[in-house]
Amino acid sequence: MKKLKEILYKVHIEAVHGSTDVQVNKIEFDSRKITQGDVFVAIKGTLSDGHTFIDKAISLGAKVVVCESFPDVFIDGITYVLVNSSNQALAFLAANYYDNPSQKIKLIGVTGTNGKTTIASLLYQMFKKAGYKVGLLSTVRIMVDEVEYKATHTTPDSLTINHYLSEMVATGCAYCFMEVSSHGIHQKRTESLYFEGGVFTNLSHDHLDYHATFAEYRDVKKAFFDELPKTAFAITNADDKNGAIMLQNTMARKRTYGLKSYADFKAQILENQLTGLLLKVNNEEVWVKLIGSFNAYNVLAIYGVAVELGIESHEALRLLSELESVSGRFQYFISKGNITTIIDYAHTPDALENVLNTITDFRTKNEQLITVVGCGGDRDKTKRPIMAQIAASLSDKAIFTSDNPRTEDPQVILEEMEAGVEGQHFKKTLSILDRKQAIKTACQMANKGDIILIAGKGHETYQEINGIRHDFDDLKIAKELLTQLEK
């Protein structure tokens, strides 16, 4: 139990009706989870407005209502707190309720279009290898040192973030590495957190279903760095044209990494193979088990964070050489029939192009490259024709299929993809609605030595159709199909 007036610290209050000198049980923004003595925060979401559930929350036992507009009638014994932004209020309420755990752990945020999961996950892996207790908040999973929890969003809600940070502090974790999405920044989920450092990976076409323009998407990312304290560090990709913009107004210590530009942390690719990369990092050679130039950038960001957090540079390189790739990120296997299958989460034009260019770098051109790719429903439609054209132009065969159609008609999604394919590439493309059938067709088309790329879902083990998640694992299905076909 906490006193309401204690957890209202730093909340931007416009008016209060009732007493703040009351004991409260817990905080909820989902009225269905309310129990006796709770605080209900009414949030205006994209699908529903929490203000319409205030009466329901009170009937279930809510003692306090935090809202952006007062109801017409006040109920006796209920405290109403009027705020300008319920999302922002929730962030501070959650942090105060859990005794501001982000101030008791070294929290590093990683933001950008691509690379967030890889960087955060490998930093977790690296600092575990260095002997620390570590936390991870990522798209793939949440880790409280050794204990794993299922992740549901790239950046969880403020309550979830502070709950897990509190668990990490209680467990003795010294560090937490966290993916920070543009949605999370825009919805104030990170507002109350104290970051020790921030990393910017890159910026490319994504989330334009949510952000009105690319400039807005960029500026939301920039806002994360604007808020970093002067005691923190900010590491940005010097080779990305938006990298310098991220640092324009930050008070944090500025650091850069890059392969092409002058940077504090610089690398040269000496060898690029299917088994890994040989890099020269700040004039020291290191072999890493990650593949492709995009991973060279990820390695540099990880190295930069490690050095900024006090790991000696030679030790940082040694630890880098031991890191294993992240599930669903350029994950590959070679079948008995010598067919290489690569599974990758690439779901943006930039990510797909990076993966296909990486494959091109180490292929001999004596083999076929067959790409299976789809685009998600209820998401940015403008990237569909672009991704289809990239797949068709950089592959020998491209099979368009369903990703997570969600509530959209998958046939319409495929037609919007097909519209982007230039005439000279038409004959290289196929459209197969059923994703398993598309993967099976790719396996049947492949001969000894060929390469299959299955893009878009990566680590996901489900396919979402009309609001229902069905079991679906690209890696597992490809292995099963190739095993059957090669008997």
Side-chain angles (χ1 to χ4, degrees):
M1 298 286 280
K2 298 265 185 179
K3 275 275 180 79
L4 176 60
K5 62 184 179 183
E6 293 171 358
I7 65 170
L8 285 173
Y9 178 63
K10 285 191 175 181
V11 174
H12 299 171
I13 300 169
E14 297 197 344
V16 175
H17 184 276
S19 173
T20 61
D21 193 31
V22 291
Q23 294 276 357
V24 295
N25 179 32
K26 59 181 171 60
I27 306 162
E28 294 289 356
F29 60 90
D30 183 340
S31 60
R32 295 167 296 186
K33 296 180 181 178
I34 291 289
T35 56
Q36 192 62 40
D38 286 354
V39 176
F40 174 62
V41 183
I43 289 175
K44 291 178 181 175
T46 51
L47 299 176
S48 63
D49 184 352
H51 291 74
T52 62
F53 299 103
I54 288 175
D55 288 343
K56 180 187 176 185
I58 291 171
S59 72
L60 291 171
K63 188 183 287 186
V64 178
V65 173
V66 177
C67 50
E68 292 177 10
S69 56
F70 276 153
D72 295 331
V73 178
F74 294 119
I75 296 174
D76 289 343
I78 305 297
T79 300
Y80 298 84
V81 181
L82 184 68
V83 296
N84 181 51
S85 167
S86 294
N87 279 308
Q88 187 182 56
L90 178 64
F92 286 113
L93 286 164
N96 293 331
Y97 182 83
Y98 286 104
D99 297 322
N100 293 288
S102 66
Q103 295 181 17
K104 302 168 187 175
I105 191 170
K106 290 186 175 178
L107 177 63
I108 311 301
V110 185
T111 195
T113 304
N114 302 312
K116 295 187 297 293
T117 301
T118 297
I119 291 170
S121 299
L122 292 181
L123 278 166
Y124 166 84
Q125 195 185 127
M126 181 189 220
F127 277 72
K128 285 290 291 176
K129 287 179 180 293
Y132 295 99
K133 288 190 172 186
V134 191
L136 173 68
L137 291 166
S138 82
T139 305
V140 179
R141 57 185 183 155
I142 293 169
M143 298 296 298
V144 178
D145 195 33
E146 303 284 353
V147 182
E148 182 172 346
Y149 299 90
K150 190 175 180 182
T152 55
H153 294 82
T154 304
T155 305
D157 63 81
S158 303
L159 278 173
T160 303
I161 292 169
N162 281 281
H163 165 72
Y164 283 119
L165 287 175
S166 179
E167 291 286 308
M168 291 171 198
V169 170
T171 308
C173 292
Y175 301 93
C176 174
F177 301 103
M178 175 181 174
E179 287 188 53
V180 178
S181 68
S182 58
H183 291 66
I185 300 165
H186 190 253
Q187 294 170 10
K188 311 290 186 186
R189 296 182 218 160
T190 58
E191 184 90 0
S192 63
L193 302 178
Y194 179 87
F195 285 92
E196 185 77 16
V199 179
F200 170 72
T201 61
N202 49 64
L203 209 62
S204 64
H205 193 119
D206 200 17
H207 299 309
L208 297 189
D209 54 316
Y210 181 86
H211 301 288
T213 63
F214 186 83
E216 182 192 304
Y217 176 46
R218 178 199 65 209
D219 291 346
V220 167
K221 297 284 190 189
K222 180 180 176 294
F224 170 72
F225 294 93
D226 291 350
E227 295 298 318
L228 288 176
K230 60 184 178 183
T231 52
F233 61 82
I235 299 179
T236 191
N237 182 349
D239 291 347
D240 188 285
K241 62 184 178 183
N242 294 289
I245 292 172
M246 298 298 141
L247 302 184
Q248 278 177 351
N249 302 111
T250 189
M251 294 186 295
R253 188 167 68 254
K254 299 175 182 180
R255 295 289 184 267
T256 55
Y257 66 93
L259 297 177
K260 303 167 188 170
S261 311
Y262 173 81
D264 298 298
F265 307 108
K266 190 161 174 59
Q268 180 185 354
I269 299 173
L270 302 179
E271 288 182 34
N272 184 2
Q273 301 175 13
L274 185 57
T275 51
L277 289 165
L278 179 62
L279 300 173
K280 183 177 273 190
V281 177
N282 283 12
N283 294 317
E284 297 284 341
E285 287 190 15
V286 62
W287 175 265
V288 294
K289 301 171 191 174
L290 307 171
I291 303 153
S293 59
F294 62 95
N295 267 321
Y297 283 102
N298 294 335
V299 166
L300 273 178
I302 293 161
Y303 174 75
V305 170
V307 170
E308 288 301 307
L309 289 175
I311 292 184
E312 193 272 327
S313 59
H314 282 89
E315 176 64 3
L317 292 173
R318 185 189 70 78
L319 291 166
L320 280 171
S321 69
E322 295 180 1
L323 299 180
E324 302 287 342
S325 63
V326 178
S327 174
R329 267 65 177 178
F330 217 98
Q331 193 172 1
Y332 73 94
F333 69 92
I334 300 171
S335 71
K336 281 187 179 178
N338 198 30
I339 294 168
T340 300
T341 302
I342 298 163
I343 311 294
D344 196 89
Y345 187 54
H347 63 287
T348 66
D350 186 55
L352 182 62
E353 189 170 7
N354 282 338
V355 170
L356 286 167
N357 282 335
T358 293
I359 295 169
T360 299
D361 286 343
F362 61 71
R363 64 179 290 208
T364 64
K365 301 284 176 72
N366 293 317
E367 72 286 281
Q368 283 191 107
L369 169 55
I370 305 165
T371 297
V372 179
V373 65
C375 291
D378 303 332
R379 297 293 186 269
D380 183 0
K381 295 185 177 188
T382 61
K383 67 184 181 184
R384 293 171 185 172
I386 302 169
M387 288 184 67
Q389 170 57 16
I390 289 167
S393 62
L394 296 178
S395 312
D396 297 301
K397 296 266 179 17
I399 303 174
F400 305 143
T401 189
S402 298
D403 188 280
N404 291 318
R406 298 183 179 90
T407 64
E408 276 197 74
D409 181 347
Q411 184 60 47
V412 171
I413 297 173
L414 285 187
E415 288 168 5
E416 289 178 357
M417 290 181 72
E418 291 165 359
V421 179
E422 294 174 358
Q424 70 266 35
H425 300 305
F426 280 161
K427 290 184 179 178
K428 295 161 64 176
T429 67
L430 276 172
S431 290
I432 301 173
L433 207 60
D434 182 87
R435 190 174 180 89
K436 185 172 182 180
Q437 189 59 45
I439 294 171
K440 184 175 182 179
T441 302
C443 294
Q444 289 169 330
M445 292 167 76
N447 299 310
K448 182 178 179 180
D450 286 350
I451 301 166
I452 300 170
L453 169 65
I454 306 173
K457 289 175 58 60
H459 64 282
E460 293 177 352
T461 54
Y462 63 84
Q463 189 175 29
E464 188 176 333
I465 304 169
N466 289 324
I468 299 169
R469 289 190 173 189
H470 305 267
D471 288 345
F472 201 100
D473 186 328
D474 283 352
L475 181 66
K476 184 179 176 184
I477 286 168
K479 280 184 174 179
E480 287 173 355
L481 288 169
L482 281 170
T483 300
Q484 290 167 14
L485 290 167
E486 292 175 350
K487 275 183 179 176

